Amino acid sequence: MADHSPEDNKLALKVVFYGPALSGKTTNLMQLHSLLNPQRKGELMVLETRDDRTLFFDMLPIGLKGESGLDLRLKLYTVPGQVQHDSTRKAVLSRADAVVFVADSQTGQQDNNATAFGNLEENLEKVGLDIDTLPMAVQFNKRDLPGVVGDTELQQRWADTPWAPLQMASALHGKGVLETFRVLLGRLYTEVDREFALATGHGIDRDTFIRQLSAASEENRA
């Protein structure tokens, strides 16, 4: 749920990267920190265990200013993928405005993907959110590895879901990361504009929202 402060003209939105352990959630966030050059970008906070897994969460704040002076901020979070940290995952999901589900493309990881997606749906319900209406993008990461499930097969499996088409990525190499984020921003904008009149009240139309929040730094522009 968006944190709106009309007296200060501030709007804070929360995006959570969710998925099974080691699927590339933190890698996505690290790549976004490197690739993005929005109006405002804070420092990336990464909290990891000794085996390089997220213990609590990682967080990257970005933002823009509307014509009305609206201070719009996005806070991007990851959650730990390990089962023993489920209470933390649920806490980070609380009041989320959008989710990026990062799945592992390797054939042997499909059961883990399904378990993690079911866990996402269950935890969203526990914090009062509906997976069918919450803005979400689904990314299949690690496309650069051998032995991954084919693009066509994955797209067909998900074709009848609200999250089709899937986003394909190799986050370690920065491929598909911005594209996934832009798809998510487009879906998020629809809901936020409906509630807070971004276009008519603050001069932030869909294109501006996506373009400014996902602007790439000069060296990363194609």
Side-chain angles (χ1 to χ4, degrees):
M1 302 173 75
D3 185 2
H4 185 218
S5 176
E7 59 274 14
D8 298 323
N9 206 15
K10 292 181 178 180
L11 178 62
L13 304 170
K14 183 179 187 179
V15 175
V16 178
F17 285 70
Y18 206 97
L22 300 177
S23 64
K25 300 176 294 296
T26 295
T27 305
N28 266 270
L29 212 61
M30 293 175 72
Q31 288 288 1
L32 285 173
H33 182 258
S34 173
L35 295 169
L36 291 178
N37 186 30
Q39 286 183 6
R40 297 179 175 186
K41 181 172 71 173
E43 291 301 313
L44 173 62
M45 181 173 65
V46 177
L47 302 174
E48 292 182 334
T49 57
R50 285 179 297 177
D51 57 355
D52 292 331
R53 296 188 178 194
T54 301
L55 176 62
F56 185 54
F57 62 80
D58 311 311
M59 195 270 283
L60 172 65
I62 61 175
L64 63 83
K65 277 270 191 179
E67 292 177 1
S68 67
L70 176 69
D71 184 359
L72 189 152
R73 302 180 184 185
L74 261 70
K75 291 185 177 180
L76 313 181
Y77 291 84
T78 66
V79 297
Q82 306 95 297
V83 174
Q84 64 266 33
H85 296 306
D86 190 55
S87 60
T88 300
R89 292 203 297 257
K90 186 166 61 178
V92 176
L93 267 182
S94 178
R95 300 181 63 84
D97 296 289
V99 167
V100 177
F101 184 80
V102 181
D104 191 320
S105 292
Q106 296 176 95
T107 302
Q109 295 298 317
Q110 299 314 296
D111 286 347
N112 288 338
N113 290 336
T115 299
F117 196 84
N119 176 260
L120 169 62
E121 183 173 17
E122 180 180 314
N123 280 339
L124 284 173
E125 185 176 352
K126 287 178 179 177
V127 298
L129 297 171
D130 184 351
I131 197 170
D132 291 322
T133 58
L134 187 72
M136 185 165 74
V138 175
Q139 176 196 95
F140 270 78
N141 189 27
K142 304 188 180 182
R143 303 305 297 169
D144 54 303
L145 296 182
V148 298
V149 182
D151 288 23
T152 301
E153 182 178 346
L154 288 172
Q155 296 289 5
Q156 287 176 346
R157 286 182 187 175
W158 289 74
D160 295 328
T161 73
W163 313 291
L166 303 174
Q167 306 306 306
M168 301 295 166
S170 174
L172 190 62
H173 303 290
K175 296 180 179 179
V177 173
L178 279 177
E179 291 82 356
T180 300
F181 188 52
R182 286 168 180 153
V183 167
L184 188 279
L185 288 175
R187 294 172 181 171
L188 174 59
Y189 179 85
T190 300
E191 298 304 316
V192 179
D193 182 53
R194 180 182 295 125
E195 185 172 356
F196 299 105
L198 293 186
T200 58
H202 302 285
I204 304 174
D205 61 18
R206 180 182 299 272
D207 179 68
T208 299
F209 183 81
I210 297 172
R211 177 169 40 81
Q212 293 199 14
L213 288 173
S214 67
S217 55
E218 289 292 338
E219 63 269 25
N220 292 307
R221 288 178 184 165

